[in-house]
Amino acid sequence: MAIHVKDQADFNAKLQEAGDKLVVVDFFATWCGPCKMIAPKLEEMANEMTGSIVVLKVDVDECEDLAVQYNISSMPTFVFIKHGATVETFSGANYDKFEITFECIEELKEDLEWKMIYVGSAESEEYDQILDSVYVGPIPEGKHMFVFQADPPNVTRIPENDAIGVTVVLLTCSYRSQEFIRVGYFINNEYTDPELRENPPSPPQFDKVTRNILGSEPRVTRFKITWEDPNTLQQQEQVEEENISTVNDPGLINENSNSLTAMEV
């Protein structure tokens, strides 16, 4: 289970007790909506991985000295510590992940490229952000599954008027640089505080915004592509052209006929 830290001394003692385990420190605040949203997932992770990690929860209002020590400016912020040294830090409550299952009816010799794209504004694609991309392959025939997870979008690149409300996250897949499927999930960005929902502040207070993915209502678009290797297709076309030329050349037909006649004699 996740362990609540009381103060600096308690924190140092917990790091010492962790030994060789990875320590995940959750800097949170009781008034932080995203912190409340991710808390159950953090507790679940702590219970499932109790043999390999230690999860510490630090309330930034109760342990201001620790927040200053680790330069915490937004919540939640997660600090990963190993043997007393910080190995990674990131902020945000984006634990949403997509479990992708697909089936190949025959082997694909090259990788599939999957992308996760956040649509920052319906007005222009310039605000789209590629949150992550991953290559999967080569792909043998059969059913396959993997988990695709990405960091949240950079809020500074989202127009203020589009920060709150409904937008879209796109999952796309391409083969040989040809996109053949696009799945869109609607996302609702909203404040947890009723007062903020009624009177949205300007600029938006992103640390008090929660995001809900409407995963049950995706929109799917498919595109026709060329699955075969272009070089192989070109070679096949050349062979077909040569065969057609051979059949249509009277001189070659006469020559072959003469050879057959000579062999028969």
Side-chain angles (χ1 to χ4, degrees):
M1 61 179 293
I3 303 171
H4 286 259
V5 172
K6 300 176 183 178
D7 51 32
Q8 176 82 58
D10 186 33
F11 179 77
N12 293 338
K14 294 294 190 297
L15 289 184
Q16 187 70 26
E17 294 171 4
D20 293 332
K21 294 182 180 179
L22 176 68
V23 180
V24 181
V25 186
D26 171 24
F27 286 90
F28 74 100
T30 55
W31 43 262
C32 168
C35 298
K36 296 177 182 178
M37 179 179 67
I38 201 172
K41 287 291 181 181
L42 193 65
E43 188 70 31
E44 179 182 329
M45 181 180 71
N47 292 332
E48 290 179 353
M49 305 179 66
T50 184
S52 56
I53 70 170
V54 175
V55 177
L56 303 180
K57 295 181 67 68
V58 177
D59 187 330
V60 295
D61 293 322
E62 294 180 356
C63 303
E64 294 182 3
D65 50 347
L66 286 173
V68 172
Q69 178 182 339
Y70 286 93
N71 298 314
I72 306 302
S73 58
S74 62
M75 279 67 70
T77 291
F78 301 93
V79 179
F80 295 80
I81 301 174
K82 184 84 169 180
H83 297 144
T86 300
V87 295
E88 185 65 79
T89 300
F90 74 88
S91 301
N94 181 40
Y95 64 81
D96 300 302
K97 58 186 178 182
F98 294 91
E99 183 177 292
I100 298 176
T101 303
F102 62 96
E103 182 175 10
C104 282
I105 59 176
E106 61 181 79
E107 179 185 11
L108 296 178
K109 296 183 178 180
E110 297 185 24
D111 292 348
L112 294 174
E113 181 185 13
W114 292 86
K115 291 182 181 179
M116 189 184 301
I117 303 171
Y118 183 90
V119 178
S121 174
E123 302 298 325
S124 174
E125 292 184 358
E126 69 174 299
Y127 298 109
D128 290 358
Q129 299 183 45
I130 299 178
L131 303 182
D132 202 357
S133 62
V134 61
Y135 288 88
V136 180
I139 310 293
E141 179 182 344
K143 289 187 177 181
H144 307 276
M145 188 276 288
F146 72 98
V147 175
F148 194 9
Q149 185 170 3
D151 291 331
N154 183 346
V155 296
T156 63
R157 294 178 53 190
I158 301 175
E160 185 173 319
N161 292 336
D162 297 304
I164 305 300
V166 178
T167 186
V168 174
V169 161
L170 298 174
L171 290 178
T172 69
C173 191
S174 302
Y175 186 66
R176 293 194 173 108
S177 300
Q178 304 170 93
E179 182 183 339
F180 64 88
I181 192 167
R182 177 179 298 183
V183 183
Y185 290 91
F186 288 106
I187 290 181
N188 185 34
N189 298 298
E190 63 179 357
Y191 290 106
T192 55
D193 188 330
E195 184 176 343
L196 292 178
R197 285 202 298 266
E198 186 70 24
N199 301 292
S202 180
Q205 298 181 18
F206 289 101
D207 60 335
K208 298 182 181 180
V209 173
T210 60
R211 182 179 69 255
N212 297 309
I213 297 180
L214 307 179
S216 61
E217 302 177 6
R219 300 187 66 176
V220 181
T221 306
R222 296 178 175 85
F223 309 94
K224 289 185 177 181
I225 67 168
T226 301
W227 294 93
E228 293 80 3
D229 186 343
N231 295 327
T232 302
L233 284 178
Q234 186 176 5
Q235 292 173 2
Q236 290 175 348
E237 290 173 357
Q238 289 176 349
V239 170
E240 290 174 359
E241 290 177 359
E242 289 174 359
N243 290 339
I244 293 172
S245 298
T246 300
V247 171
N248 293 335
D249 190 330
L252 290 176
I253 293 175
N254 291 339
E255 189 174 302
N256 289 338
S257 298
N258 291 338
S259 296
L260 288 172
T261 302
M263 289 176 64
E264 289 173 355
V265 173

